[in-house]
Amino acid sequence: MPIENVPAPEGRFNFAQHLLDCNQQRAGKTAYIDDQSALTYGELADKIKRMAAALIKAGVRREERVLLLVHDCNDWPVSFLGAMYAGIVPVAVNTLLTANDYHYMLNNSRATAAIVSEALLPTLEAALAKGDHDVKTVFVSRANSELSAGSIDLDQALQATEPLTTAASTSADDPGFWLYSSGSTGNPKGTVHTHANPYWTAELYGKRLLGITEQDICFSAAKLFFAYGLGNALSFPLSVGATVVLMPERPTPDAVFKRWIDNKPTIFFGAPTGFAGMLAAANLPKKAEVALRLASSAGEALPADIGERFTKHFGVEIIDGIGSTEMLHIFLSNQPGKVRYGTTGWPVPGYAIELRGEDGLPVPDGETGDLYIQGPSAALMYWNNRAKTRETFQGTWTKSGDKYLRNPDGTYTYAGRSDDMLKVSGIYVSPFEVEATLIEHPAVLEAAVIGKQDAEGLTKTKAFVVLKEGAETSAEDLKAFVKDKLAPYKYPRFIEFVKELPKTATGKIQRFKLRQQEVDAS
């Protein structure tokens, strides 16, 4: 699909080499700042080439996968782009998951190497101990202690390896990297993106819509392993030569405020839950203490009140949009100087949007329909999952799983999910997975999980639990039980004990009745 004023990558195209080419004249400029050090564009280029050579030296071949389980720090872009430079496929994964999750991903991706933060090494080792994987080498980022056999200090490996002078001769359509997308059954889907896909998101959204420039300092609360964070803290800023602030810790209000004041970012990328927490904090910085010129929000719909209060306090707009792992970044968005709080804005130039009914035909304005997207950054497929691939990627269109309605002014308003998946703090949670875990508790007979809006209008998980006859337990005990078995962010924030769950004649739980019950109660 030709896009006005944006040249398409043609012939041989390697995204890592493309970014190095963009910054040849900025060798002395700071590219990344993390909690330990700064990295110039010249140092970044050198380390990317050394990383590529180190992976090849370890026996990783073209198109093979390498698991990237690293907290946000300077080693993350080095590892990710180093793999792409060598024609190797980095598989960037969530750092908040369990050993069982990583075991599944190792088996599913058939990664032949892994790069891991030292703090996450025990969890990865527990996953590797389960067997059924192809990992031969583990590189450890920021190693501060003696490593076991089979693990290599990443920094030492880079120092001991000569840079790879020539990037792999990949094409724009070659698999470039994977991101895992949560599945409604709990099993994540390996979403395969090309070398060209991050180029398109940077050109269409980062440069043309947000207007990021070389003078900007970017800071993303969303981590690099998210599609959203990958654009915010890698593809967008490196495409224009901006500087990026990286933060390995959780984006609490205090942690974010510290970077705002110390590093003076000009663009902040967050999520509605984070913005709500910051606005409620007693130590919210004054406008004069920060250098923000723009804020971005994605992950879940931004309540209008949060956007309005943020703008009133800082004099800065929050540009709310929606993206997906499948489309790599935002395709529907408000625009700087043209914000309609309470809506998700307009289609990003270069993307087309359709709302379709159950009959597959477009719905009229004001009616809710399933959201379909057409654009150049769509993933190739879900790895080893043909059924889900065909369901989601339909010709040139991608089915998002979200429901929207189109307003008379051309903006779009979020109307929920097409399935029962929940977005909590910007991360998908499968109600089925949480229910199945609750049922493992010896006191629980049945459970149903839905989304419940809190006072800020943000979605949190709520579980309705039926106990076995004569059994007793507490809400806090059940929360702790789920936290122990699943990634911590998946536990239900609210638990209500009930005598029975609403069901169909065939015994299927009617979650929509529980959702309506919550609406009526509010």
Side-chain angles (χ1 to χ4, degrees), residues 29-41 43-48 51 68 70-82 115 117 141-142 154-155 158 218 224 233-234 238 243-248 263:
K29 188 188 177 187
T30 300
Y32 283 99
I33 303 168
D34 68 13
D35 284 358
Q36 293 189 18
S37 61
L39 196 64
T40 66
Y41 272 101
E43 292 166 337
L44 176 64
D46 179 68
K47 287 196 169 190
I48 286 170
M51 184 76 246
L68 180 55
V70 175
H71 287 133
D72 278 22
C73 68
N74 293 344
D75 283 346
W76 205 104
V78 166
S79 301
F80 183 84
L81 293 172
I115 307 169
S117 291
S141 167
R142 302 284 171 90
L154 178 61
D155 190 54
L158 296 184
C218 299
L224 280 159
L234 191 148
L238 297 194
T243 296
V244 183
V245 176
L246 294 178
M247 178 177 71
N263 301 111

Side-chain angles (χ1 to χ4, degrees), residues 353-372 403-407 412:
I353 299 294
E354 276 193 7
L355 300 183
R356 301 178 187 174
E358 292 183 4
D359 58 3
L361 298 176
V363 300
D365 286 2
E367 286 191 18
T368 299
D370 291 313
L371 177 67
Y372 286 75
K403 287 187 177 293
Y404 266 83
L405 59 85
R406 187 175 184 272
N407 303 308
Y412 289 76

Side-chain angles (χ1 to χ4, degrees), residues 385-451:
N385 196 335
R386 189 180 185 193
K388 282 291 183 183
T389 295
R390 294 178 72 173
E391 181 183 323
T392 300
F393 304 104
Q394 302 179 13
T396 60
W397 292 90
T398 301
K399 184 178 181 180
S400 74
D402 296 293
K403 287 187 177 293
Y404 266 83
L405 59 85
R406 187 175 184 272
N407 303 308
D409 64 354
T411 59
Y412 289 76
T413 300
Y414 181 66
R417 287 285 298 173
S418 305
D419 52 27
D420 285 310
M421 291 291 285
L422 303 172
K423 267 278 187 80
V424 181
S425 299
I427 307 176
Y428 277 118
V429 175
S430 167
F432 310 105
E433 183 181 23
V434 181
E435 290 163 2
T437 303
L438 282 166
I439 292 170
E440 291 179 21
H441 191 283
V444 175
L445 176 64
E446 293 180 312
V449 172
I450 66 166

Side-chain angles (χ1 to χ4, degrees), residues 264-330:
K264 293 292 190 288
T266 57
I267 303 180
F268 174 70
F269 301 86
T273 300
F275 285 113
M278 289 185 286
L279 288 170
N283 59 335
L284 180 68
K286 297 176 181 177
K287 177 182 178 180
E289 295 180 277
V290 304
L292 296 176
R293 72 169 185 85
L294 195 66
S296 166
S297 179
E300 55 188 320
L302 178 75
D305 179 65
I306 292 176
E308 289 162 359
R309 284 192 286 135
F310 188 90
T311 298
K312 182 177 180 181
H313 183 85
F314 289 108
V316 169
E317 296 174 321
I318 299 180
I319 309 303
D320 183 34
I322 181 176
S324 68
T325 305
E326 291 76 10
M327 294 302 296
L328 190 56
H329 212 275
I330 290 171

